[in-house]
Amino acid sequence: MFSYRHAFHAGNHADVLKHTVLIAMLQHLVQKDAALTVLDTHAGAGLYRLDGDYARTSGEAADGVLRLAQADAAALAPALQAYLELVRAFNAGTGVKVYPGSPFIIQHLLRAQDKLKLFELHPSDLRALTRNVAQLEAGRQVAVLHEDGFEGYKKFLPPPSRRAFLLCDPSYELKSDYGRVQDLVADALRRFATGTYAIWHPIIGRPEAHELPRRLKTLATKAGKPWLHATLTVKSAKLGAPLLGASRRPGLPASGMFIINPPYTLKPALQAALPQLSQLLAQDGHAAHQLLVQA
């Protein structure tokens, strides 16, 4: 269960989608004065070097954040401008060598009264996360917890301020993760029905991956809660022709973000951003996007 390292994938197309959505949501949620409690169930290391050995091995950032960063910023949708602006805040000069993971993106947007709970089990990522968070000098605002995020979130719902946002983005390396995500959402809605819940998921040729969004929609609908489902496809899931390297695994072709109780501002933000993402990050003629909403 400890073989997955997000450092290999930092800044890829899935991160671009996930973090664009994350920023757009948090920018709205922090407009209310009441304190917000944010839970990140699979925090990772927090910060990643795109010029490091891990990222260079996969090269995934080249077709993600680095490609987007080369676009004409003035022509980008506001949500994509906000995403790139935040990423650049962690970098000196015009290049992008440091990529902020969800913990640092969240903390960057929080106010003094807000709280952030970070869960991480991987020993190496936990050590890196602890070191990275210490540099923030955020005091008691940020807590790093060596716990299973699928269980640890429970003690924080509902929060004292009655405002909570939970991000769940496991690696899905274990097939059981799909069922655990479903159980987490069902339990979280029972504990705190008015919280905002964001679930990242891969779109791959696996029955569990196909079923998860449908089951999340059923859970939200039965609870009487609005939901939003955004997906981004950058390439075909099939292996390429022999001349294009058919012997290699095709890599992740698509991913999605499923949101329960989304801010009302998220739909228009993604209506503008998703078409640009599918165009700018396309790796072949199968690039596409979809935005489904139930109010």
Side-chain angles (χ1 to χ4, degrees):
M1 66 179 293
F2 289 142
S3 62
Y4 178 86
R5 302 295 300 280
H6 191 68
F8 286 104
H9 312 287
N12 69 357
H13 63 86
D15 265 1
V16 174
L17 173 65
K18 175 173 61 180
H19 293 148
T20 296
V21 173
L22 178 62
I23 292 166
M25 295 176 68
L26 282 173
Q27 284 179 328
H28 176 82
L29 291 173
V30 297
Q31 290 180 15
K32 285 189 177 181
D33 291 337
L36 178 69
T37 295
V38 184
L39 312 173
D40 188 344
T41 64
H42 296 76
L47 281 175
Y48 304 93
R49 294 290 310 193
L50 297 186
D51 57 354
D53 291 341
Y54 290 127
R56 285 207 307 259
T57 297
S58 68
E60 291 183 20
D63 287 323
V65 63
L66 298 181
R67 192 192 293 191
L68 189 65
Q70 295 171 359
D72 178 7
L76 292 177
L80 299 182
Q81 292 182 7
Y83 165 75
L84 284 178
E85 182 180 334
L86 194 151
V87 171
R88 292 189 188 283
F90 288 86
N91 291 269
T94 58
V96 178
K97 294 183 178 180
V98 175
Y99 190 81
S102 301
F104 274 65
I105 288 174
I106 295 167
Q107 196 278 333
H108 189 81
L109 294 171
L110 295 187
R111 307 153 303 174
Q113 67 265 39
D114 302 321
K115 302 292 184 183
L116 174 58
K117 312 297 182 184
L118 303 172
F119 300 90
E120 182 53 52
L121 272 180
H122 194 292
S124 298
D125 280 351
L126 177 70
R127 288 193 294 272
L129 179 65
T130 302
R131 288 195 305 269
N132 289 332
V133 168
Q135 297 176 25
L136 291 172
E137 298 182 350
R140 298 178 63 183
Q141 181 190 52
V142 182
V144 176
L145 304 162
H146 185 200
E147 299 178 32
D148 181 354
F150 280 127
E151 297 294 330
Y153 75 91
K154 295 177 180 179
K155 59 179 171 287
F156 298 109
L157 292 181
S161 65
R162 310 297 294 185
R163 298 189 69 229
F165 171 74
L166 181 147
L167 171 66
C168 182
D169 61 337
S171 67
Y172 298 92
E173 185 181 32
L174 297 176
K175 189 164 65 172
S176 58
D177 281 359
Y178 294 94
R180 297 191 76 188
V181 167
Q182 182 182 341
D183 291 343
L184 178 151
V185 171
D187 178 75
L189 284 171
R190 285 192 294 267
R191 291 174 183 270
F192 188 50
T194 57
T196 298
Y197 302 102
I199 309 297
W200 176 86
H201 66 93
I203 299 176
I204 54 177
R206 193 173 196 172
E208 297 86 1
H210 177 75
E211 282 292 307
L212 180 60
R214 186 185 66 80
R215 291 180 176 176
L216 294 177
K217 291 172 188 175
T218 299
L219 282 172
T221 302
K222 285 186 175 179
K225 298 301 177 183
W227 55 261
L228 178 150
H229 188 210
T231 64
L232 175 67
T233 301
V234 298
K235 61 183 176 181
S236 170
K238 298 178 180 178
L239 288 169
L243 292 177
L244 299 177
S247 61
R248 296 188 306 169
R249 292 173 62 88
L252 181 68
S255 66
M257 286 289 283
F258 189 90
I259 318 296
I260 298 175
N261 293 324
Y264 72 90
T265 51
L266 186 59
K267 177 183 175 181
L270 294 182
Q271 283 176 325
L274 283 174
Q276 291 187 339
L277 278 183
S278 61
Q279 179 183 11
L280 293 169
L281 302 187
Q283 295 183 31
D284 63 22
H286 294 84
H289 64 277
Q290 188 176 54
L291 181 61
L292 300 175
V293 179
Q294 178 169 292

